[in-house]
Amino acid sequence: MNLGMIFAAAAACAFATPAISQDVPEHIVSLYRAAPGQQVALLKCMARQDQASQAAGLPASQIYVHTSGDSWDYMVINPVTTKAQDDAVEAAAKKMGITSGPRASIEFRTMIASHTDTTSNGPQTAAQILAALGEK
């Protein structure tokens, strides 16, 4: 097998994703590392965002606090939202006097040293994923 075919096969594997049922909700999983001394400010900001989300009829974020291992402080899980839901949260934030729009992003970034976002489907059990794949 030539080198080009090896790279093509590796690329195909890297981009392949299992077929997952459409019924499984999609979520955004974010890992945040707070800027030095900004942990409390970051949590207060997330609490205000949760208030706006709940006022718009969306659930509060699920936040997990780092206790050991990698270098993140908080893992935050939220459902993927529609434009209409985003607009409702934005309107609720404005009504509540919470910073919104582009300024909210700039303000938020002063409280974090780094972050990553990824989408995922779930929650599911291993058995449910195997069933969706046609496996036992």
Side-chain angles (χ1 to χ4, degrees):
M1 188 185 287
N2 71 32
L3 195 55
M5 288 187 68
I6 292 172
F7 285 131
C13 290
F15 292 107
T17 57
I20 303 296
S21 168
Q22 296 297 332
D23 313 3
V24 180
E26 190 174 26
H27 290 83
I28 297 174
V29 179
S30 303
L31 295 177
Y32 294 103
R33 191 163 59 110
Q38 295 298 310
Q39 286 84 354
V40 171
L42 178 58
L43 287 169
K44 287 181 178 182
C45 180
M46 286 193 267
R48 287 190 304 273
Q49 184 61 39
D50 279 347
Q51 290 172 333
S53 293
Q54 290 176 309
L58 296 170
S61 299
Q62 295 177 27
I63 300 176
Y64 295 79
V65 179
H66 175 267
T67 57
S68 67
D70 205 354
S71 63
W72 54 272
D73 294 312
Y74 307 105
M75 178 174 62
V76 181
I77 302 174
N78 284 300
V80 171
T81 54
T82 64
K83 178 160 178 14
Q85 289 170 319
D86 292 342
D87 291 346
V89 172
E90 184 84 8
K94 285 181 184 177
K95 186 175 181 179
M96 299 169 81
I98 297 170
T99 305
S100 60
R103 180 151 312 275
S105 294
I106 292 170
E107 186 178 291
F108 186 75
R109 282 170 174 71
T110 67
M111 295 172 249
I112 58 173
S114 65
H115 87 282
T116 62
D117 296 316
T118 189
T119 56
S120 65
N121 292 1
Q124 300 176 86
T125 65
Q128 290 170 319
I129 297 167
L130 287 168
L133 295 171
E135 298 286 334
K136 292 183 183 188

